[in-house]
Amino acid sequence: MVRLTRAQTRERTRTGVLAAARAEFAAHGYRDATIDAIADRAGLTRGAVYSNFAGKRALYLSVLAAGAEAASSGARVAEVRSPREALGAIARTWTGSGLAADVLDDEPARTAYAQLLALESLVLGLALERLGRPGRGVRAAATALTLLAGAHHLGAAAPGFPDPFDVVAACELLADLPPDHGWPPLYVEYVSPALPADDPWPAELPPAGGHGVVHVLGLRRLEAAEESARAATGSEVTIAIVTGDPEELQPLARLVLARLHGTLARAIPEPARPPLRLLLGHDADALVAAAGLTTAGDDTEAAVRIAGGRIVARATGRGAGHAASHAPAVGAPR
């Protein structure tokens, strides 16, 4: 018999716990499921479950994220040629993927979810713009997500209401929402320039070809992703999402990113998908280390400009993405 390594044993245990949790949540819902019942289904002790997951919410979000990731693989994109068609496709894809209110039952989780929704709205709004919507499309995308989330909660409280086809039609009408001119925010005019630097950047890490901007953002600062997304014209932008509470909040971020990936795969044609890379977990941690940050938490905001495989500029604090994106790309390989 082949002896499993400690990592393999842990992964097998986590897989068993997730399978048990999926069955328990399907049978009893989030509110009535218990860790004890999940442990019984998995044939483990309560302590063994807690040694792998922070609690019931982390387990629930991990189950949802795994399902969303599996569903997005091999997804077939809808026939979309306009912002109106994209909003309808987004609505059909997103329907039913909202979160129950009792899952986000504390301030850190609610704040993180609000920022994740802002990031989701940014990516979808940029896609609407690339499909021809005039002006800034973020407000139309955010309004669509608001409508869809509200319909999800109302549908749970009053099954059969509202009519999902009417909700999709209402989202399509948001293509005609007046252009949103709420960018840039006033404070970016007062952001200090990025500081020049000359440090190596690992060739195996994004951005591709060693040219672009890496924007490190904590879960409380994700709305700032728009700074680098809009300022780094013609450059690849990578957003490294970090948190000081990975056991509790990282599953939430993983779920939203999986949902966003699935929405893009099903509702947005490849040419309209924004050139914005979103990384989480170990992939994000590698970028944080390469950028030279010693700590990173939910309020982190930092950015580096990469050129010629080297860091040529650094910025930290509010407006870091804007500052780094406007720094000259003057590096050269050595």
Side-chain angles (χ1 to χ4, degrees), residues 36-271:
D36 287 334
I38 292 170
D40 287 343
R41 284 180 183 267
L44 299 168
T45 65
R46 178 186 178 90
V49 174
Y50 277 115
S51 69
N52 285 276
F53 295 91
K56 186 170 76 168
R57 180 170 66 191
L59 253 176
Y60 182 69
L61 294 171
S62 296
V63 167
L64 293 182
E69 289 164 351
S72 66
S73 61
R76 182 177 179 181
V77 67
E79 293 293 330
V80 167
R81 295 174 297 276
S82 69
R84 184 186 185 97
E85 291 176 348
L87 283 163
I90 289 168
R92 285 187 289 273
T93 300
W94 210 92
T95 296
S97 63
L99 284 175
D102 53 354
V103 176
L104 306 176
D105 58 358
D106 56 37
E107 186 276 335
R110 288 192 293 268
T111 299
Y113 191 49
Q115 287 294 301
L116 285 161
L117 285 171
L119 181 63
E120 193 171 10
S121 299
L122 168 64
V123 175
L124 296 177
L126 291 174
L128 295 178
E129 294 170 22
R130 291 166 70 88
L131 284 166
R133 189 184 190 281
R136 180 171 174 262
V138 177
R139 184 173 64 167
T143 304
L145 296 188
T146 301
L147 179 59
L148 292 165
H152 174 82
H153 290 302
L154 188 56
F161 186 89
D163 186 317
F165 295 102
D166 288 343
V167 174
V168 171
C171 287
E172 290 176 338
L173 294 176
L174 293 173
D176 298 323
L177 196 69
D180 177 5
H181 301 293
W183 190 265
L186 294 177
Y187 70 82
V188 299
E189 296 182 17
Y190 306 99
V191 170
S192 299
L195 297 176
D198 185 17
D199 298 300
W201 184 258
E204 68 275 11
L205 296 181
H211 297 274
V213 173
V214 173
H215 199 175
V216 181
L217 290 170
L219 278 178
R220 288 180 177 269
R221 293 296 302 141
L222 294 182
E223 62 189 350
E226 190 163 1
E227 295 174 13
S228 53
R230 293 199 183 278
T233 306
S235 297
E236 180 179 327
V237 176
T238 302
I239 307 296
I241 302 170
V242 296
T243 176
D245 189 3
E247 290 191 350
E248 276 286 347
L249 296 181
Q250 197 162 287
L252 175 61
R254 182 180 159 214
L255 169 61
V256 175
L257 293 188
R259 181 174 69 192
L260 174 58
H261 179 75
T263 302
L264 290 172
R266 291 182 174 84
I268 305 298
E270 185 72 38

